[in-house]
Amino acid sequence: MSSALDRLKNLTNKISISNYEVARKENLSKLKELYKEVGIDQKVEKFEDIFDFKAINLSGASLQSENLGEIKEGRYLQVLAIAYDKSASVKSKNISLGYFGRVENVDVEFKNKVIEFIIRYRFEKSFMTLEHYHEMLGQFV
């Protein structure tokens, strides 16, 4: 198992099943709000379609826990999604889901909502990954 999967497994072991379900439901609800608040709905019409992306990243501000939200002067705050197409000659491509200008000019509260959106997206995406591997392991039982 990958270390990311191990960490997620350890996290879910700490959370009881009912707490896990509540945490996931609350996360999805807030994620859906942020999807509209930061304008991702302008690029991805249906909320559920954001999970078709392999990943969603951010430029212009840090997503690392030790310096979360710290801006990178001179950079642009932009939400980038990674789409993957097995049949294409170029397998993956970056798609801009939101461009907000120079990060130092973006309202701090809005920047924090963008960061929260990405963290909440990744949180849900990790649950989806866990379910995927759990189903795969079911074939070995």
Side-chain angles (χ1 to χ4, degrees):
M1 264 191 264
S2 72
S3 61
L5 187 56
D6 287 337
R7 288 191 306 271
L8 184 57
K9 184 178 176 184
N10 288 334
L11 173 64
T12 56
N13 284 338
K14 291 177 186 176
I15 303 172
S16 71
I17 296 299
S18 62
N19 284 345
Y20 156 84
E21 290 171 355
V22 168
R24 188 173 184 187
K25 188 174 186 177
E26 288 174 355
N27 184 65
L28 271 172
S29 176
K30 184 63 177 171
L31 180 62
K32 197 168 195 173
E33 288 175 25
L34 290 166
Y35 156 82
K36 292 178 182 174
E37 286 181 41
V38 301
I40 305 301
D41 61 331
Q42 300 298 309
K43 296 279 184 144
V44 181
E45 194 172 310
K46 289 193 278 186
F47 172 72
E48 298 77 19
D49 290 348
I50 65 173
F51 300 108
D52 291 341
F53 296 116
K54 280 295 202 189
I56 294 181
N57 294 316
L58 181 68
S59 69
S62 175
L63 293 174
Q64 296 177 350
S65 59
E66 56 273 1
N67 56 356
L68 186 64
E70 188 176 293
I71 66 168
K72 299 173 184 175
E73 292 280 337
R75 305 270 314 266
Y76 298 94
L77 189 67
Q78 186 171 12
V79 176
L80 298 165
I82 300 171
Y84 187 79
D85 183 353
K86 289 184 214 176
S87 61
S89 60
V90 176
K91 303 288 182 213
S92 65
K93 66 179 181 176
N94 289 344
I95 300 168
S96 176
L97 298 183
Y99 172 80
F100 309 107
R102 290 186 86 93
V103 69
E104 58 268 17
N105 297 331
V106 175
D107 177 71
V108 173
E109 187 177 322
F110 183 78
K111 176 198 62 135
N112 289 341
K113 286 183 179 187
V114 171
I115 292 168
E116 183 182 0
F117 169 80
I118 293 170
I119 299 298
R120 288 187 179 281
Y121 167 85
R122 290 179 175 184
F123 189 54
E124 176 58 24
K125 194 77 168 174
S126 65
F127 284 127
M128 292 175 163
T129 301
L130 181 64
E131 287 174 341
H132 169 74
Y133 285 112
H134 184 265
E135 289 171 10
M136 288 177 67
L137 287 172
Q139 297 178 30
F140 297 104
V141 176

